[in-house]
């Protein structure tokens, strides 16, 4: 089998060569520094301790130090040689390598090759130790890499994956930023405890928010014998999906479906033992297990109430007095839950707030979906732009 990848840039045809990592890169294995001088602020060098903190492909060292032994320079590659063995990152700092970390002076091509090794489980096969896996110096230096003989091809491949990583990071950061914005706005667009108006609201709304019992705003109903509807599965933080689309191995007797409860789209669902996750929302019409309770809002916007019912304040403060039992035996007193006082702004204001939150959710989904797509592209290209390791 020729030592060439399935996909490569135009103009390159030569076979790749096999080289050992220690022959093409300087590999420095870390050790626990002794007699380090620590300070509250970053100094010349920063200690990478253990396997460091890897985030978005970068290393975030844990302790500031002025120790000047076993160092790696900004831009060097960092590999965890202890659990998790093979995890890769880069450093934006000059760092002191702690035990369990290797510093590798290499380029973007080498970095992506080692990322592929990690994703393929290559290092785990070579790691020693049953409790804490680790890779020794000779194993790291002796790892065989396939490398294009033409440096320009190396650079093109490295640049391609660098751009992919940049796009992935961009969408992940956008996703995280919108999540933070949503968290902030939810805190500001609902009144604080004991207050009647929120800190931030849309223009044209000035009336104080009412406080009414949950059971007055949401009416419980129980309708069965709806075999024309599809069975649904409830997932915390997601709502309902068709049971046939669930990856859960759920066994149920289809002859019992006549006893299942109907739920309408956008109505709320609560299980006696779902106290940790708050109420869920139906994403479509369907039927659900009779163990659930269903609630229909009167002149309400479910987009407004869903984040409220899943908020820490609702679950840990308002709902908690109506939860009884210990540990896994905890249950909700439904009648007690119906007495909880909840905010009730005008229907028009609910729709404004609910629509705003929905738009933020769409943005989060958009960026996360794009991020996942790019990760899948990268996974595919890593498998096809490098020769298969035999």
């Amino acid at each position: 089998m020729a030592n060439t990848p399935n996909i490569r840039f135009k103009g390159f045809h030569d076979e790749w060569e096999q080289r050992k990592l220690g022959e093409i890169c300087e590999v420095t294995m870390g050790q626990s520094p002794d007699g380090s001088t620590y300070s509250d602020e970053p100094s010349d060098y920063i200690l990478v301790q253990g396997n460091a903190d890897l985030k978005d492909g970068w290393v975030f060292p844990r302790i500031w130090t002025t120790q000047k032994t076993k160092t790696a320079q900004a831009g060097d590659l960092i590999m965890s040689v202890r659990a998790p063995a093979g995890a890769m990152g880069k450093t934006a700092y000059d760092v002191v390598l702690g035990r369990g970390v290797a510093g590798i002076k290499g380029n973007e091509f080498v970095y992506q090759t080692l990322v592929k090794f990690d994703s393929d489980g290559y290092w785990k096969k070579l790691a020693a130790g049953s409790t804490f896996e680790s890779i020794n110096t000779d194993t790291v230096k002796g790892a065989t890499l396939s490398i294009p003989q033409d440096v320009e091809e190396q650079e093109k491949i490295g640049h391609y994956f660098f751009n992919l990583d940049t796009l992935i990071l961009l969408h992940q950061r956008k996703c995280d930023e919108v999540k933070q914005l949503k968290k902030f706005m939810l805190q500001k667009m609902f009144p604080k405890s004991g207050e009647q108006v929120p800190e931030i609201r849309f223009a044209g709304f000035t009336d104080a928010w009412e406080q009414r019992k949950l059971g007055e705003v949401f009416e419980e109903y129980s309708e069965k014998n709806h075999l024309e509807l599809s069975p649904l599965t409830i997932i915390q933080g997601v709502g309902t999906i068709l049971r046939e689309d669930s990856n859960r191995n759920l066994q149920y007797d289809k002859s019992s479906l006549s006893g299942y409860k109907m739920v309408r789209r956008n109505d709320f669902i609560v299980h006696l033992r779902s106290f940790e996750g708050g109420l869920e929302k139906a994403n479509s019409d369907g039927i659900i297990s009779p163990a659930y309770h269903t609630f229909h809002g009167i002149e309400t916007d479910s987009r407004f109430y869903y984040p409220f019912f899943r908020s820490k304040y609702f679950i840990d403060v308002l709902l908690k007095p109506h939860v009884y039992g210990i540990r896994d035996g905890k249950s909700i007193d439904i009648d007690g839950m119906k007495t909880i006082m909840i905010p009730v702004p005008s229907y028009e204001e609910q729709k404004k707030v609910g629509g705003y939150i929905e738009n933020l959710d769409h943005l989060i989904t958009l960026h996360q979906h794009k991020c996942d797509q790019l990760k899948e592209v990268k996974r595919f290209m890593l498998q096809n732009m490098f020769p298969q390791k035999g």
Side-chain angles (χ1 to χ4, degrees):
M1 180 185 293
N3 188 29
T4 56
N6 295 329
I7 298 175
R8 64 197 305 189
F9 290 98
K10 289 182 179 179
F12 301 104
H13 308 286
D14 295 338
E15 283 197 32
W16 291 20
E17 58 181 345
Q18 299 281 326
R19 300 285 300 277
K20 293 187 182 300
L21 183 62
E23 295 174 350
I24 60 175
C25 299
E26 179 184 334
V27 179
T28 305
M29 301 297 284
Q31 64 182 21
S32 294
D34 297 320
S36 300
T37 303
Y38 298 101
S39 63
D40 293 331
E41 296 297 331
S43 189
D44 296 334
Y45 290 81
I46 305 167
L47 175 65
V48 174
Q49 188 179 48
N51 58 11
D53 291 320
L54 293 169
K55 180 176 169 54
D56 299 326
W58 290 90
V59 172
F60 291 81
R62 296 177 178 175
I63 304 172
W64 306 117
T65 179
T66 56
Q67 182 76 19
K68 292 182 173 63
T69 62
K70 295 287 185 181
T71 60
Q73 294 178 333
D76 283 353
L77 315 180
I78 302 293
M79 175 193 290
S80 170
V81 294
R82 290 188 178 176
M88 291 299 304
K90 303 174 188 175
T91 175
Y93 313 95
D94 292 347
V95 300
V96 176
L97 303 174
R99 184 174 294 162
V101 180
I104 301 170
K105 292 187 183 301
N107 56 25
E108 188 68 25
F109 174 85
V110 171
Y111 172 71
Q112 298 296 342
T113 302
L114 298 179
V115 168
K116 183 178 185 300
F117 279 12
D118 182 32
S119 64
D120 289 345
Y122 173 75
W123 296 113
K124 291 186 180 297
K125 296 175 185 176
L126 301 179
S130 55
T131 304
F132 296 102
E133 59 186 26
S134 63
I135 312 170
N136 62 37
T137 306
D138 291 338
T139 301
V140 174
K141 292 182 177 180
T144 303
L145 282 67
S146 292
I147 297 182
Q149 298 180 49
D150 193 325
V151 174
E152 185 182 354
E153 186 174 10
Q154 295 180 35
E155 292 174 347
K156 278 183 173 289
I157 293 170
H159 186 65
Y160 172 80
F161 282 103
F162 176 82
N163 287 338
L164 261 184
D165 285 342
T166 301
L167 281 173
I168 291 170
L169 180 58
L170 171 67
H171 284 287
Q172 191 59 63
R173 283 182 175 171
K174 286 290 186 182
C175 185
D176 293 340
E177 286 172 3
V178 180
K179 285 180 179 178
Q180 283 298 113
L181 174 61
K182 178 183 175 182
K183 181 179 178 180
F184 173 81
M185 294 304 286
L186 285 176
Q187 292 173 341
K188 300 294 184 180
M189 297 182 81
F190 285 82
K192 293 180 180 178
S193 178
E195 298 183 3
Q196 294 182 309
V197 294
E199 292 182 46
I200 296 177
R201 65 198 307 192
F202 289 96
F205 298 102
T206 56
D207 292 340
W209 288 19
E210 287 186 62
Q211 290 286 321
R212 295 172 59 191
K213 291 180 180 179
L214 187 150
E216 295 174 353
V217 181
F218 291 90
E219 190 173 69
E220 183 175 9
Y221 64 97
S222 179
E223 296 184 25
K224 300 180 180 180
N225 293 304
H226 283 277
L227 295 177
E228 77 281 5
L229 296 175
S230 300
L232 304 175
T233 294
I234 294 89
I235 299 177
Q236 291 289 346
V238 175
T240 60
I241 63 171
L242 292 175
R243 184 166 288 190
E244 62 193 45
D245 293 338
S246 172
N247 57 9
R248 298 176 180 178
N249 185 22
L250 296 172
Q251 300 294 327
Y252 65 98
D253 183 1
K254 293 186 178 180
S255 65
S256 67
L257 292 181
S258 61
Y260 274 40
K261 292 180 179 179
M262 180 191 75
V263 64
R264 304 184 189 93
R265 182 174 180 268
N266 290 327
D267 283 353
F268 286 98
I269 304 165
V270 62
H271 193 285
L272 288 177
R273 300 186 52 191
S274 64
F275 60 93
E276 291 182 346
L279 280 68
E280 273 303 338
K281 187 175 70 169
N283 297 319
S284 65
D285 291 352
I287 53 176
I288 58 176
S289 166
Y292 290 93
H293 293 251
T294 51
F295 292 85
H296 175 71
I298 304 166
E299 280 286 292
T300 60
D301 190 311
S302 62
R303 301 171 303 174
F304 171 84
Y305 278 105
Y306 184 61
F308 176 75
F309 285 147
R310 294 194 57 77
S311 68
K312 186 175 180 64
Y313 174 66
F314 178 80
I315 296 169
D316 291 347
V317 178
L318 298 180
L319 187 58
K320 191 173 183 178
H322 307 291
V323 174
Y324 60 92
I326 58 174
R327 295 184 181 177
D328 295 337
K330 289 183 178 179
S331 298
I332 293 174
D333 172 11
I334 291 294
D335 288 334
M337 187 188 79
K338 292 178 183 178
T339 66
I340 294 173
M341 302 300 289
I342 63 173
V344 186
S346 70
Y347 186 39
E348 290 303 315
E349 189 168 8
Q350 288 182 40
K351 289 190 287 186
K352 280 280 190 179
V353 174
Y356 175 78
I357 296 169
E358 184 178 56
N359 286 337
L360 290 181
D361 285 336
H362 285 165
L363 277 175
I364 292 169
T365 300
L366 175 68
H367 286 298
Q368 190 60 62
H369 182 61
K370 190 65 177 178
C371 187
D372 292 341
Q373 282 183 321
L374 289 167
K375 285 180 179 178
E376 186 59 26
V377 169
K378 181 178 180 181
R379 185 198 66 78
F380 176 82
M381 297 306 280
L382 280 174
Q383 293 300 318
N384 287 278
M385 291 184 74
F386 293 84
Q388 294 298 314
K389 198 169 182 62

